[in-house]
Amino acid sequence: MGLRRPIDGRKDRLVRVPDRGISVSNRRKRYQEVADVIRDRIARGEWQPRSQIPSQVEMAKEFGVSGSTVSDAIAHLRERRYVWTLPHKGSYARPAEHWREEPS
């Protein structure tokens, strides 16, 4: 269980949130951990190619991280062509033939 500020914005208390398996190691940043989970779900076929993945808000709640952390993870995956994003529509899983490990 971790602690974080509640979504309602009250700063006078912290709420307990379940551990979602996203941990911060001393060598990796949190957005990289989130990106790895998203990438693994796409690679395993949990999210089919060309299908919309959950919103950043939904993933932030699921992983117990901030929306900007999920946004950074999505940007990281976009550079590697695992996803593409349409403004105001969401992000979508790309087919495997488009993936690359290093951005060009």
Side-chain angles (χ1 to χ4, degrees):
M1 288 290 241
L3 294 174
R4 70 174 188 167
R5 302 227 181 269
I7 294 173
D8 64 12
R10 291 184 55 191
K11 295 182 178 172
D12 60 332
R13 65 187 175 102
L14 295 175
V15 295
R16 289 203 177 277
V17 292
D19 183 12
R20 303 286 190 200
I22 302 299
S23 61
V24 179
S25 69
N26 56 357
R27 295 184 183 262
R28 296 194 48 128
K29 296 190 178 201
R30 189 168 293 206
Y31 82 88
Q32 292 170 319
E33 300 287 337
V34 172
D36 287 347
V37 172
I38 296 168
R39 186 192 66 230
D40 290 345
R41 289 180 181 181
I42 293 169
R44 285 193 321 259
E46 189 172 325
W47 297 328
Q48 295 297 314
R50 297 180 184 85
S51 67
Q52 188 172 14
I53 65 175
S55 73
Q56 291 181 14
V57 172
E58 292 170 329
M59 286 193 274
K61 287 179 185 176
E62 177 184 349
F63 299 134
V65 298
S66 72
S68 63
T69 299
V70 176
S71 180
D72 290 346
I74 296 294
H76 181 77
L77 292 172
R78 211 174 17 251
E79 289 174 359
R80 285 150 182 81
R81 300 180 56 98
Y82 280 90
V83 299
W84 83 90
T85 303
L86 297 175
H88 307 289
K89 297 290 184 185
S91 296
Y92 298 81
R94 279 191 185 268
E97 61 266 15
H98 295 282
W99 301 347
R100 64 175 177 245
E101 283 303 311
E102 295 299 320
S104 60

